[in-house]
Amino acid sequence: MTVAAHPVTADLGAVPRTAELRAVASRCADRVERERRLPAEVVEALRTAGFARHLVPARWGGEEGTFSALLGAVAEVGESCASTAWNAAVHAILGRMVSHLPEKGRQEIWGEGPDGLFAGSIAPAGEVRAVDGGHRLSGQWPFASGVDHASWTLLGAMAPGPEYRFFMVPRTHYRVLDTWTNVGLSGTGSNAVALDDVFVPGYLSFAQAELMAGTAAEKATCLRVPFKLVNGLTFVAPVLGAARGALRSSAARLAVKTEITGGAARANPAVHTALARAGAEIDAAQLLLERAAAAADSGTAGALERARAPRDFAFAAELLGAAVDRLFRIGGARSQTTADPVQRAWRDVNCAAGHAVLQFGSVAGVFTTHLMDGVHKDV
C-alpha cells in the first residue's frame, strides 16, 4: 500500500527536537504534577518530538529507530520532568507492541499516520468472552499511563483457552476513571479504564506469546526483539533522567550553600562524598542501560542477553534510587520543600523503582539459572 506523507519528522538522536520537549516539560512541571496529567501543550510537544513514531515500521511512516536513541531521549526529558519522560517512553514502546497486530489492525491504527499516542494496561484484568469475529471485553484496567490524551489503549486479559492476549481499543469504546493519586510520577495520568461489553475484532488483538518471542510480521530489528530485552528500559529510562536532574540541582545548591556552622557547604567533605557517590551510581546505571539498549539494537542478542537485561534494568533502578536517596539527605530541609526538584525526583525515582519489572528479586532467578546452567554444562 501507499502511505501518505506525514508532516512530523523527528530523529530522537538529534538534540533540538528532544530539547524542545524538555523545555516545555520544564516550564510545565509544576502544572503537570498539580493536574496529575500532561497538559495539552506538553502532549503536543511530545507528539511533535516523534516519540510515538520512533518504533513504528517505516512502511507506516515510522522511524524504526533504535533503543539506544530512545534511552538517550527519554533520559534527557526526564531531567526536567519524569512524568513527561515516562509517558514519552510508554507511547514509544506501545508503537512497537502494536506492530504485532494482524495487517488489517495495523492498517486501522496507522493508516492515517504514525503519530497517534497510545496508552496501555497490559497486566491481565477484566473479563473476556470469545464471540464470532473476535472477543467481548468488560471490567476495569488500572494504571494506563497517558490515557487521558491517548487515542487508543492496549489492554491485557486472559482470553478463553486460557490465553494471555492483548486487545487494542479505541478511545470511544471505554471510560477513563480518575484513579491516579500516587505520590510519585503523579503527572503521568495513569488512570484506569472501564469497558462495558465492548466488541474487539480479531484483527485488533494478538497473543502475549508473540510479543515475548519478538515474532512481529514487520521485519525491522526494533520490532522483532524479545520483549524482556527492552520492557524494563521503558520504565528505568525516565528514572535515569530524574536522577541526573537531581544531581545537577543538588550540586548547584550546595555550591553556594552556607551551613549552620557558617562554613561553606562546598568545603564539607561529606558533601563531596555524597555528590561523588551519587554521580558514580548514576553513571554506573547509565552504562548498564546503554549496554542493554545496544544489545537489543544489535539484533543478535542471545540467551545471555535475554537473562541479563531484566537484571540490569532492576539493578540500575536500585543504583538510581540509592543516588537520589543520598542527594535528598545531603540537601537537608531545603530538599524537602514541596517545590524543590530534588524531593520531586526522590519521589519519582522511588515510585518508578517499585514497578513490577524493576523488582530485583523477581528477575534475579532468570539470570542465576542461566549462569548456573552454563557453568554446569562447562564442568
Side-chain angles (χ1 to χ4, degrees), residues 71-251:
L71 169 64
V74 170
E76 183 178 346
V77 175
E79 291 191 36
S80 294
C81 178
S83 289
T84 301
W86 184 276
N87 277 4
V90 166
H91 294 321
I93 202 68
L94 279 166
R96 177 243 190 270
M97 294 174 72
V98 168
S99 67
H100 288 272
L101 286 173
E103 176 77 10
K104 185 177 179 180
R106 283 173 276 150
Q107 167 67 49
E108 182 164 334
I109 297 295
W110 289 319
E112 296 183 1
D115 296 306
L117 302 178
F118 309 143
S121 177
I122 65 174
E127 297 179 358
V128 180
R129 291 188 295 114
V131 296
D132 288 344
H135 297 82
R136 302 197 76 90
L137 275 63
S138 297
Q140 293 186 15
W141 281 258
F143 310 133
S145 297
V147 71
D148 291 282
H149 56 259
S151 54
W152 296 75
T153 294
L154 186 71
L155 304 175
M158 295 304 298
E163 182 185 40
Y164 186 178
R165 295 189 66 83
F166 297 116
F167 301 88
M168 197 66 167
V169 184
R171 177 65 183 87
T172 53
H173 286 48
Y174 56 79
R175 292 176 290 116
V176 177
L177 308 179
D178 188 9
T179 56
W180 184 250
T181 58
N182 286 35
V183 298
L185 295 170
S186 55
T188 60
S190 301
N191 290 308
V193 300
L195 280 70
D196 299 314
D197 195 30
V198 171
F199 174 69
V200 180
Y203 61 83
L204 290 177
S205 177
F206 62 93
Q208 184 254 12
E210 297 174 12
L211 175 69
M212 300 309 289
T215 55
E218 304 284 353
K219 302 303 182 184
T221 297
C222 65
L223 306 175
R224 297 182 64 82
V225 175
F227 198 50
K228 284 189 178 296
L229 272 173
V230 295
N231 186 26
L233 195 67
T234 307
F235 305 109
V236 75
V239 178
L240 173 63
R244 292 196 320 216
L247 179 64
R248 186 182 63 251
S249 296
S250 295

Side-chain angles (χ1 to χ4, degrees), residues 4-10 17 44 47-48 53 61 63 112-115:
H6 304 293
V8 179
T9 57
R17 288 289 188 180
E44 188 54 35
R47 190 193 310 274
T48 301
R53 64 167 51 203
E63 300 290 340
E112 296 183 1
D115 296 306

Side-chain angles (χ1 to χ4, degrees), residues 243-257 259 265-283 322-331 335 342:
R244 292 196 320 216
L247 179 64
R248 186 182 63 251
S249 296
S250 295
R253 177 191 294 120
L254 292 169
V256 297
K257 179 184 177 182
E259 297 188 327
R266 65 185 303 144
N268 185 343
V271 167
H272 290 272
T273 297
L275 290 177
R277 284 189 178 277
E281 287 161 338
I282 294 168
D283 286 350
V324 295
D325 284 350
R326 198 181 307 281
L327 297 170
F328 184 68
R329 291 195 302 271
I330 199 67
S335 289
V342 175

